[in-house]
């Protein structure tokens, strides 16, 4: 059995013009730019064991999941956010330990697929837990050794893994 763990920003959705920081002063614009995607909903709904680890706040994660219309597919107990980490976000290993405890996953006995846009976060997950690391990035050149797969977006990644019926 495989467990799918997702980051949110730049992973479950793509930032318009790849400029997240422009949204810091206008967060409403960020939420306006996030659009419902029928195909993403279908892909996410077909996954049984799905979780989120985000450096964003609970409010932010909920806003994004609502805008994407995939909130109904993630149980609150399967979402770990900045408030859960005592302000020690990824790539700090504490955030991963807290998340695994909250999700009731015993890491060494489970197969975890970790979808993330940040190389430092993937590096920690690979080095500490040996998770299967999946980078979501449009413009990645050489693949670092700690990254197992690279996809330009989450839909391509999920289509790839759905082919193998990893549930």
């Amino acid at each position: 059995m495989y467990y799918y763990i997702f980051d949110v920003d730049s992973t479950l959705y793509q930032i318009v013009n790849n400029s997240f920081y422009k949204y810091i002063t206008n967060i409403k614009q960020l939420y306006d730019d996030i659009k419902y995607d029928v195909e993403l909903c279908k892909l996410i709904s077909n996954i049984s064991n799905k979780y989120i680890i985000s450096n964003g706040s609970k409010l932010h994660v909920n806003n994004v999941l609502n805008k994407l219309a995939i909130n109904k597919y993630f149980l609150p107990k399967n979402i770990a956010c900045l408030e859960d980490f005592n302000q020690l976000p990824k790539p700090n290993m504490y955030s991963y330990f807290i998340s695994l405890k909250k999700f009731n996953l015993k890491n060494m006995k489970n197969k975890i697929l970790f979808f993330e846009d940040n190389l430092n976060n993937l590096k920690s997950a690979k080095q500490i837990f040996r998770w299967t690391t999946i980078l979501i990035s449009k413009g990645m050149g050489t693949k670092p050794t700690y990254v197992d797969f690279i996809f330009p977006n989450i839909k391509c990644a999920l289509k790839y893994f759905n082919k193998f019926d990893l549930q």
Side-chain angles (χ1 to χ4, degrees), residues 78-94:
N78 291 351
I79 299 172
C81 302
L82 187 59
E83 293 91 339
D84 297 311
F85 310 144
N86 294 326
Q87 305 302 314
L88 294 170
K90 301 177 293 184
N92 187 298
M93 68 179 186
Y94 179 77

Side-chain angles (χ1 to χ4, degrees), residues 31-129:
Y31 298 129
D32 288 346
D33 286 349
I34 298 172
K35 304 297 182 203
Y36 168 72
D37 185 322
V38 173
E39 186 179 21
L40 177 62
C41 286
K42 183 176 181 184
L43 290 165
I44 291 288
S45 72
N46 288 330
I47 300 168
S48 299
N49 302 300
K50 53 190 162 283
Y51 305 84
I52 290 177
I53 300 177
S54 175
N55 285 346
S57 69
K58 288 181 195 240
L59 177 62
H60 173 66
V61 171
N62 287 331
N63 285 339
V64 170
L65 295 179
N66 286 332
K67 288 292 291 184
L68 292 171
I70 59 174
N71 53 316
K72 61 188 167 202
Y73 303 118
F74 289 93
L75 299 172
K77 69 178 184 171
N78 291 351
I79 299 172
C81 302
L82 187 59
E83 293 91 339
D84 297 311
F85 310 144
N86 294 326
Q87 305 302 314
L88 294 170
K90 301 177 293 184
N92 187 298
M93 68 179 186
Y94 179 77
S95 63
Y96 299 102
F97 283 117
I98 290 297
S99 298
L100 289 172
K101 184 176 180 181
K102 180 175 183 175
F103 303 156
N104 198 26
L105 296 178
K106 293 182 171 73
N107 186 54
M108 293 306 166
K109 294 182 181 178
N110 300 319
K111 289 274 196 173
I112 293 178
L113 305 175
F114 184 44
F115 300 83
E116 170 71 66
D117 66 293
N118 183 295
L119 287 173
N120 290 327
N121 297 343
L122 291 169
K123 187 174 187 179
S124 292
K126 177 58 84 179
Q127 289 177 340
I128 298 166
F129 301 105

